[in-house]
Every structure is written in C-alpha cells, then in structure tokens.
Amino acid sequence: MKLVNLHKSFEKQKVLEGYNLEIKQTGITKIEGPSGSGKTTILRIISGLETADQGEFVDIPKNISFMFQEDRLFPWYSAVKNIEIATKKTEKEILNVLSKLGISNTTAVKLPSELSGGEKRRVALVRTLLKDAELYILDEPYTGLDDETKKLAENLIKELAKTKPILLVSHG
C-alpha cells in the first residue's frame, strides 16, 4: 500500500506537497509530526473523506476502520452497544476486549455521557479494532489516556498488528 507524490491544498494553503508513504502489509506504520503538518489530512485522503489534488494510490483498500481524533460515539447507546453496532461482534467478545483496557462490565453498559474522556477513547479504540477491515487507521489513539492505560492500548494495537496493517498518527 503506497501513496506517491501526494498533493493537497485548501484554498491557497498547501498542506501536502509531494508526500510519499508506504504502509506495511502487517504491523504498525507511524506518521508523526506537529499539529498542522497534514497528518489527519493524509488519513482523510486515504479513507476517501478528502480528495487529493494530485497523487497516486497503490493497493489502498476500500474496507478501512478509522478511529478519529473525536470519539464519535452515539450518545443514546451504551458503550458496548456502540461497539456492537459497528462491529457485529457479540457482547461477550466486546466485553472481553474492553476488560483488556480496564473497562468493567458495569462501565460498558453506561451511556457515553456517563463515561470519562479516557473511557470514551478506549471504547472508540475497541470499536475500531474489532471491526473486520483491511486497514486500520488510528488518529491520535492515546489522547486522554494515562500512562498505564496507554500501555494497555499499545498492547492491544500491537496484537492486531501481528496480522493486519495499522496506520497510526501521533504528535511524536
């Protein structure tokens, strides 16, 4: 999977100019950089949410699971139901993975408004990782997580990366 000579401008503001990226077939490919450097724009172009002005896309799949910077949870569904709707996994499977990130069964049935920021982030991560996809895009997946929870999330991501391609964006 490759992006070759990618260009993108918004009005007169050039965001990407001649950008190239090769995404590993399995494992984690990282994009790092400061805010405003075009990282999220690259992800949005790969996923089809934005259109590049120029560039070639080689073997980029259509079946992508995308974790946005915002959690984007349905406010009227419980945490577990938010995941179930997106992934078609059973409640038991979902609760098992949530527990790996320190989310109890009691917390899993709460509405997003009843969850902390870090809990919402973990729910969004599980929703993304449990979806059957050909490419997983994670935009700042560790935002709002303490060091211990970040380690748990990293382990979960590394486990999936053994068999799937993951494109992960962070500030560094």
Side-chain angles (χ1 to χ4, degrees), residues 8 118 134 137 139 141 146:
K8 179 65 179 174
E134 297 171 88
I137 296 177
D139 195 355
D146 61 37

Side-chain angles (χ1 to χ4, degrees), residues 1-3 6 15-16 19-24 27-47 57 60 66 69 135-142 166-172:
M1 294 179 268
K2 290 184 194 178
L3 305 177
L6 196 64
V15 179
L16 301 170
Y19 184 82
N20 298 297
L21 176 69
E22 186 163 349
I23 303 168
K24 300 173 190 175
I28 299 169
T29 303
K30 273 189 169 181
I31 301 175
E32 296 179 332
S35 291
S37 62
K39 301 180 305 293
T40 297
T41 300
I42 294 164
L43 302 183
R44 291 178 60 81
I45 290 170
I46 291 170
S47 66
F57 302 88
I60 301 297
F66 195 139
Q69 286 185 20
L135 174 62
Y136 296 81
I137 296 177
L138 308 177
D139 195 355
E140 303 287 352
Y142 309 122
I166 296 176
L167 182 57
L168 189 146
V169 162
S170 73
H171 281 99

Side-chain angles (χ1 to χ4, degrees), residues 71 73-82 103-123:
D71 301 319
L73 301 174
F74 291 114
W76 50 86
Y77 289 132
S78 69
V80 73
K81 189 70 172 174
N82 262 283
I103 302 276
S104 69
N105 291 4
T106 307
T107 302
V109 296
K110 291 182 178 179
L111 295 173
S113 62
E114 301 170 304
L115 301 175
S116 71
E119 289 168 337
K120 289 178 196 175
R121 199 71 188 141
R122 287 178 274 168
V123 170

Side-chain angles (χ1 to χ4, degrees), residues 65-74 78-80 82-84 86-87 94 97-98 101 103 112 115-131 136-143 145 153 156-157:
S65 187
F66 195 139
M67 180 183 186
F68 295 89
Q69 286 185 20
E70 312 82 28
D71 301 319
R72 299 188 181 198
L73 301 174
F74 291 114
S78 69
V80 73
N82 262 283
I83 298 167
E84 187 179 19
T87 66
I94 294 165
V97 178
L98 284 172
L101 292 179
I103 302 276
L115 301 175
S116 71
E119 289 168 337
K120 289 178 196 175
R121 199 71 188 141
R122 287 178 274 168
V123 170
L125 177 62
V126 170
R127 179 186 58 196
T128 303
L129 297 181
L130 282 182
K131 188 170 186 285
Y136 296 81
I137 296 177
L138 308 177
D139 195 355
E140 303 287 352
Y142 309 122
T143 300
L145 301 183
L156 193 61
I157 291 167

